[in-house]
Amino acid sequence: MVEMSDININEKPQWCPGCGNFGILMALKNVMVEMNLEPKNTVIVSGIGCNSKLPHYVNTYGYEGLHGRTLPLASAVKIANRKLNVIAMSGDGDGYGEGVQHFVHICRRNYNITYLVHNNQIYGLTTGQASPTTERGQKTKSTPFGVLESQFNPLANAIIHGATYVARTFAGDMKHMKEIIKGAIEHKGFSLVDILQPCVTFNKHNTYQWFQERVYKLEDNDYKPDDYFKAIEKSYEDIISDYKKIPIGLFYKAEKQIYENELPQLKEKELVEYSEPVDIKGLIKEFL
Ligand code: SF4
C-alpha cells in the first residue's frame, strides 16, 4: 500500500503563502495514497508557470518541460509505456495560451491522460499579465485599460474537441477537488480538470472569498454529465451570468476509443519492452 511517506519529498514548495497550488498539491497526494498509485508507475509532467513546479514536490517520476508543451510530453510518455499513470500539469497561460494548439489535438485523440490545469486567471510567474481566462474588462499589468478579448472557455473547448471527462473544481474545497481528481485518474480517456486556483499575490480580483460566494456544485443540482449539448451550455454559465454563478463538478463524461490503444505499433507490447535498441542508422537511411 502506498503511504504518504512514500510520496513526500524533502523539497519546500516555492509558492507564495496562501497560494491555491498548495491545496492542489495536497489533494493530488491524498488521491495518490487513496488510489494506491505507486510512485514508480506514476509520471507528472508540466510546462512553465508557478503550477509547473509541482513535479518537484512529489516523489514520482517528473519532467518540467518547455512553455506550453506539457501535453506533447505527456502523450510521448504514454505512447512509450501505457502502463504508467500519466498526470499533466499546466496553468491557464501555459495550457490555454502557449499550449492551446496541443490542447485541441490531444482532446481529439483522447489519450488516457489526466490533465490538471491550475486556472488562476493571470500569469502569476511573470508577475500579473492577463491570461486567456482573465475576465473581459479586468485591469492587469498588460491590460491597464482592461482586457478587450472574450474569455477562453476551456470546458466548452475540451468537450467540442473530444475530451471524455471534463470537470471543474475549486482549490478552496479539498473534498470536492479530491473527488474530481480521483474520477479523472480512474477515467479511461483524456480528462481535463480545470481548477479554480486563487493567485493571492497577482490576482486581487478572483480571491478565495470571491469564489466562495459564487461557486455551486452541479452534483447538488441533479445535473447528469451525459448530455453533450447540455454540458457545453452549462460551461458558459459563469460567463453568461457575469460571474454571479460558477458551477463546479463533472460537466461531461463519455466512452470513446483511446488513441494509443489503436496504434498498430503497440499491438504486441509497450515500446519500452522492446529489448533491441532502435537501429538509428537504418532509420536515418530510410528517410534519406
Ligand atoms: Fe501562487 Fe500567484 Fe504566488 Fe504564483 S504568484 S506562487 S500563482 S500566489
Side-chain angles (χ1 to χ4, degrees):
M1 290 299 283
V2 173
E3 307 277 347
M4 193 55 89
S5 55
D6 298 324
I7 52 177
N8 277 340
I9 200 160
N10 197 16
E11 198 66 51
K12 197 166 169 260
Q14 300 296 308
W15 294 316
C16 311
C19 174
N21 285 330
F22 285 101
I24 300 172
L25 172 64
M26 192 42 72
L28 179 64
K29 291 207 290 190
N30 274 300
V31 167
M32 284 187 65
V33 170
E34 285 171 27
M35 292 181 74
N36 204 27
L37 296 190
E38 291 193 62
K40 69 177 167 74
N41 295 327
T42 305
V43 185
I44 304 178
V45 300
S46 65
I48 298 291
C50 293
N51 78 88
S52 295
K53 295 173 188 165
L54 192 143
H56 298 267
Y57 309 141
V58 194
N59 185 28
T60 62
Y61 289 104
Y63 195 109
E64 190 177 351
L66 298 176
H67 208 186
R69 311 300 162 214
T70 308
L71 289 174
L73 266 174
S75 55
V77 174
K78 199 60 175 177
I79 286 175
N81 188 356
R82 286 169 294 180
K83 293 175 185 166
L84 295 171
N85 310 303
V86 181
I87 301 169
M89 295 282 156
S90 266
D92 42 307
D94 188 62
Y96 305 147
E98 283 77 9
V100 73
Q101 74 278 36
H102 301 303
F103 176 53
V104 166
H105 296 292
I106 296 279
C107 288
R108 285 176 54 223
R109 289 177 188 159
N110 194 37
Y111 286 96
N112 188 17
I113 289 171
T114 306
Y115 189 33
L116 307 182
V117 180
H118 306 215
N119 182 358
N120 52 29
Q121 297 159 271
I122 206 86
Y123 278 90
L125 189 68
T126 49
T127 73
Q129 297 78 15
S131 86
T133 54
T134 308
E135 273 175 52
R136 191 173 148 76
Q138 190 171 326
K139 291 183 180 165
T140 70
K141 276 189 181 165
S142 60
T143 57
F145 306 109
V147 173
L148 299 174
E149 300 100 324
S150 308
Q151 299 90 314
F152 179 76
N153 182 335
L155 305 179
N157 271 280
I159 298 165
I160 289 165
H161 291 108
T164 48
Y165 182 103
V166 179
R168 184 195 279 141
T169 184
F170 169 44
D173 187 335
M174 181 59 69
K175 188 165 172 277
H176 192 264
M177 219 176 1
K178 273 172 52 187
E179 277 165 22
I180 291 290
I181 294 174
K182 205 170 174 182
I185 295 173
E186 277 166 356
H187 177 70
K188 301 281 175 246
F190 184 70
S191 50
L192 167 72
V193 181
D194 183 67
I195 309 176
L196 304 171
Q197 175 248 314
C199 167
V200 294
T201 306
F202 295 110
N203 188 345
K204 302 289 185 193
H205 174 59
N206 306 112
T207 61
Y208 283 99
Q209 193 187 346
W210 187 90
F211 283 116
Q212 268 146 4
E213 287 164 359
R214 288 162 175 81
V215 294
Y216 78 92
K217 290 176 187 148
L218 290 174
E219 50 274 31
D220 293 344
N221 284 269
D222 244 354
Y223 177 85
K224 304 258 180 316
D226 57 358
D227 186 325
Y228 180 85
F229 292 105
K230 193 126 200 198
I232 296 170
E233 192 187 338
K234 199 40 117 180
S235 75
Y236 278 96
E237 188 174 0
D238 53 349
I239 297 172
I240 286 170
S241 72
D242 201 20
Y243 294 93
K244 289 192 176 62
K245 284 157 95 183
I246 305 178
I248 58 171
L250 179 57
F251 285 68
Y252 184 64
K253 189 174 175 189
E255 302 291 322
K256 206 174 96 180
Q257 71 275 16
I258 292 169
Y259 180 81
E260 61 270 26
N261 292 347
E262 307 258 302
L263 289 172
Q265 297 88 339
L266 302 184
K267 221 169 205 148
E268 283 174 32
K269 53 185 171 180
E270 305 306 310
L271 281 188
V272 290
E273 286 165 358
Y274 285 89
S275 53
E276 292 297 315
V278 179
D279 176 6
I280 294 283
K281 277 189 192 148
L283 198 63
I284 291 172
K285 228 177 178 178
E286 256 187 59
F287 286 103
L288 290 177

